[in-house]
Amino acid sequence: MASRPLWQRILIPIGLIVAAVALPIGMTYDLVGVERVDVQVESCDFVPSGTERTYECRGSWQLADGRTATGPISSFGRLTPGERVEGWGNSKRATTSLVRSLVPLMMGGIVVLGAVAGVVVSLRLARRARRDR
């Protein structure tokens, strides 16, 4: 790493730090303000996606502050119109499984850990290269 120009030695760690901060925030934006809600399924449409039978459902739910939100509902199981299910929601979307919403958060955590590990390794390699001169 010592043979790289100064601008690269400065820019690479800064880029890794920006990626480590921006990616998890972007991936978990839908988790902000998520709360326990009762979801009223209003419609489900079949969407052909290869060999899988996929249904996109929409519904409404009431938030703790009294506002009623409508939007897409994600679920591991099949939902039927008119069904009322417990789930998690915010002002834009709802899900019947919080685990499904936490997957982006876990992926973001992995990205952050990878970026931190990359910075630590590059700093150690740079220190070793300076010491071996």
Side-chain angles (χ1 to χ4, degrees), residues 31-63:
L31 286 176
V32 175
V34 94
E35 60 188 59
R36 191 81 147 139
V37 293
D38 285 331
V39 180
Q40 177 68 39
V41 181
E42 294 170 356
S43 67
C44 290
D45 298 322
F46 172 70
V47 178
S49 62
T51 59
E52 238 178 70
R53 293 181 63 89
T54 305
Y55 291 89
E56 288 184 359
C57 297
R58 295 190 61 79
S60 61
W61 54 93
Q62 187 166 2
L63 300 170

Side-chain angles (χ1 to χ4, degrees), residues 45-114:
D45 298 322
F46 172 70
V47 178
S49 62
T51 59
E52 238 178 70
R53 293 181 63 89
T54 305
Y55 291 89
E56 288 184 359
C57 297
R58 295 190 61 79
S60 61
W61 54 93
Q62 187 166 2
L63 300 170
D65 63 3
R67 291 181 297 152
T68 300
T70 61
I73 305 167
S74 60
S75 173
F76 282 123
R78 179 149 187 239
L79 300 172
T80 56
E83 184 178 11
R84 189 168 205 70
V85 294
E86 287 187 4
W88 298 89
N90 60 15
S91 61
K92 294 183 180 180
R93 61 181 53 245
T95 182
T96 59
S97 172
L98 189 58
V99 172
R100 188 175 185 147
S101 295
L102 291 176
V103 169
L105 181 63
M106 290 184 282
M107 295 301 291
I110 291 169
V111 168
V112 168
L113 288 176

Side-chain angles (χ1 to χ4, degrees), residues 10 16 18 21 23 44 54 56 66 68 71 78 87 93 109 120 122 125 127 131:
I10 293 172
L16 287 173
V18 167
V21 171
L23 284 175
C44 290
T54 305
E56 288 184 359
T68 300
R78 179 149 187 239
R93 61 181 53 245
V120 168
S122 68
L125 289 174
R127 183 185 298 165
R131 196 174 11 154

Side-chain angles (χ1 to χ4, degrees), residues 8 11 15 60 63 116:
Q8 284 183 355
L11 196 61
S60 61
L63 300 170
V116 168

